[in-house]
Amino acid sequence: SAGKVEDAKQLGAHEVVLSRDPDAMAAVEPLDLILDTVSADHDMNAYLGLVRRHGTVVLVGAPESPLSVAAFSVIFGSKSL
């Protein structure tokens, strides 16, 4: 959320992207690593589209229901979950 941007930067983040901002998400260059700490249900495919080939997504949160991941989000990018 917008209220956590400064906290993230103080903890060492080089860049912060608000996932609820479609324009900001569309402007993201491919990432090597995504650390997903969201414990609520969310669209994992939106994050997988941001990871570069051979990139990694680390899931730390524990959603209540299984995440729905489109097969092509993983196959074409050779991403690690």
Side-chain angles (χ1 to χ4, degrees):
S1 67
K4 296 178 185 174
V5 171
E6 282 307 312
D7 291 340
K9 289 183 178 180
Q10 287 178 358
L11 291 169
H14 297 272
E15 184 177 347
V16 178
V17 177
L18 299 178
S19 60
R20 293 182 182 169
D21 181 345
D23 293 332
M25 292 286 281
V28 172
E29 295 290 324
L31 303 168
D32 293 318
L33 170 72
I34 292 180
L35 176 62
D36 182 347
T37 61
V38 178
S39 60
D41 290 333
H42 60 290
D43 181 11
M44 207 50 224
N45 298 297
Y47 295 99
L48 290 173
L50 301 177
V51 181
R52 77 175 63 245
R53 187 167 194 215
H54 299 293
T56 302
V57 176
V58 178
L59 300 173
V60 179
E64 292 182 18
S65 60
L67 294 173
S68 176
V69 176
F72 291 112
S73 293
V74 180
I75 293 172
F76 286 126
S78 296
K79 297 158 183 153
S80 301
L81 294 178

